[in-house]
Amino acid sequence: MDVSLIRGVIPPIVTPVDADECVEEQGLRRVVEHVIAGGVHGILSLGSNGEFYGLDHEQQERAVRITIEQVAGRVPVYMGIGAITTKECVQLARLGESLNAKAITILPPMFLAPSEEELYQHFRKVAEATALPVLLYNNPDRVGNNISVNLIERLADIPNIVGVKDSSGDLTLTSEYIRRTREKGFKVMAGRDVMILGSLVYGAVGCVASTANIVPALVVEIYEKFIAGDLTGALEAQFKLAPLRMASNLASFPVVTKEAMNLIGLEVGGSILPNTSCSEINRNKLADILKQMGALK
């Protein structure tokens, strides 16, 4: 993959599932068409909003395969990896390569508390097991450990570790990632939807935004107006998006994304247990936000 294509808006698409919590093919194909119609620049399969943790390897493979087939080369497809052991991450990276994903993203091992050197060796071994470009995924709130600026600077020297998605919510950290790696051509992407514009101003190349599942055109507007030099327009789009991102606490993570998509008629079904759904009161609050944004009539 030409790493110059790693840019813009990349939704971590939801994975519709059936009553047996297996990938629901037609729903997944609808999601792909919805976000592509919104102008996104790539698609991440099996990100956090894709509920990778609730799918076995067979279902993960099916989700990626259907996504790549439906995309049909229109945008790059990234495969998310969120396993705990190095061995399993290597297996999944090779799976992504065999399925013709264009790049992979890797979370640090959750539950464990690896040292900085252990994290370095983990990411290095996974990267060396594949020819694909690797994007790291920093999400300390979810996995319990943070990828430090010093570690990012070391990892950026590994040839196919080409960037990072930062979901820390710490704009100082994002900006330091960018400052300390900008001579290396390393790509930093915003992972917190309320910080897309702020990250772009610092030099991020785009975002991996859960809200782009729901209102892809609005998220794309932030990016494209910024690139065109229309800072006022980009800021207005960012502020318009903010209430939807702030609504993510109306249910347990990542339920709200699917709830909002169902409300606007995309029929993506329910979340994987133990997650269930919004309360009726909170679903109404979510519907009101979508109406105010013009996403729901």
Side-chain angles (χ1 to χ4, degrees):
M1 178 184 182
D2 178 357
V3 294
S4 69
L5 296 175
I6 299 175
R7 62 176 184 85
V9 175
I10 303 169
I13 59 170
V14 303
T15 309
V17 293
D18 61 23
D20 295 321
E21 297 187 338
C22 294
V23 176
E24 199 281 286
E25 180 172 345
Q26 294 311 312
L28 181 52
R29 292 182 186 278
R30 277 197 306 276
V31 171
V32 168
E33 291 306 316
H34 173 67
V35 298
I36 287 182
V40 302
H41 306 87
I43 285 176
L44 170 58
S45 177
L46 304 179
S48 303
N49 276 263
E51 298 175 290
F52 68 87
Y53 46 81
L55 302 169
D56 62 23
H57 283 194
E58 182 183 349
Q59 290 301 311
Q60 289 188 9
E61 177 177 351
R62 191 158 174 262
V64 175
R65 182 172 46 75
I66 292 167
T67 300
I68 289 171
E69 183 182 293
Q70 188 65 29
V71 168
R74 289 176 285 176
V75 296
V77 176
Y78 303 67
M79 175 179 164
I81 295 174
I84 293 176
T85 65
T86 306
K87 179 180 179 180
E88 188 177 359
C89 287
V90 165
Q91 289 171 345
L92 288 167
R94 288 173 174 160
L95 172 64
E97 192 167 343
S98 73
L99 292 170
N100 293 317
K102 294 300 184 186
I104 57 172
T105 71
I106 315 176
L107 273 168
M110 58 200 78
F111 180 71
L112 306 178
S115 68
E116 196 146 297
E117 183 60 25
E118 286 169 333
L119 273 178
Y120 174 81
Q121 294 300 336
H122 171 73
F123 288 129
R124 182 181 66 80
K125 285 177 181 174
V126 179
E128 287 175 350
T130 177
L132 293 177
V134 174
L135 281 163
L136 307 173
Y137 176 8
N138 190 43
N139 195 341
D141 289 354
R142 294 287 157 204
V143 303
N145 53 69
N146 191 49
I147 304 176
S148 73
V149 178
N150 287 338
L151 181 54
I152 281 288
E153 198 168 17
R154 287 182 70 195
L155 289 165
D157 288 330
I158 295 171
N160 62 325
I161 296 184
V162 298
V164 63
K165 168 197 173 184
D166 184 24
S167 295
S168 67
D170 180 352
L171 197 54
T172 301
L173 183 66
T174 306
S175 67
E176 281 296 285
Y177 280 174
I178 294 165
R179 184 178 73 85
R180 297 268 290 271
T181 63
R182 59 184 175 155
E183 303 301 325
K184 303 173 190 274
F186 194 72
K187 297 177 180 294
V188 178
M189 305 199 84
R192 192 66 70 95
D193 298 26
V194 292
M195 295 183 172
I196 297 168
L197 179 57
S199 301
L200 289 171
V201 169
Y202 270 112
V205 299
C207 62
V208 180
S210 60
T211 51
N213 275 286
I214 308 156
V215 285
L218 178 59
V219 184
V220 167
E221 189 178 340
I222 299 170
Y223 174 78
E224 293 192 339
K225 288 196 169 176
F226 173 79
I227 294 298
D230 181 4
L231 282 176
T232 302
L235 182 60
E236 284 308 308
Q238 177 73 84
F239 282 159
K240 185 176 179 182
L241 180 69
L244 181 57
R245 175 59 180 83
M246 302 305 285
S248 63
N249 62 359
L250 292 176
S252 53
F253 176 85
V255 167
V256 167
T257 308
K258 277 186 171 176
E259 289 273 3
M261 295 173 80
N262 285 328
L263 281 167
I264 64 173
L266 282 168
E267 298 179 30
V268 297
S271 295
I272 294 174
L273 294 173
N275 285 341
T276 53
S277 58
C278 285
S279 66
E280 195 61 37
I281 290 172
N282 283 351
R283 189 177 295 109
N284 289 336
K285 288 180 182 176
L286 181 59
D288 286 342
I289 290 167
L290 291 167
K291 285 174 185 171
Q292 288 163 15
M293 296 175 70
L296 178 63
K297 305 304 178 197

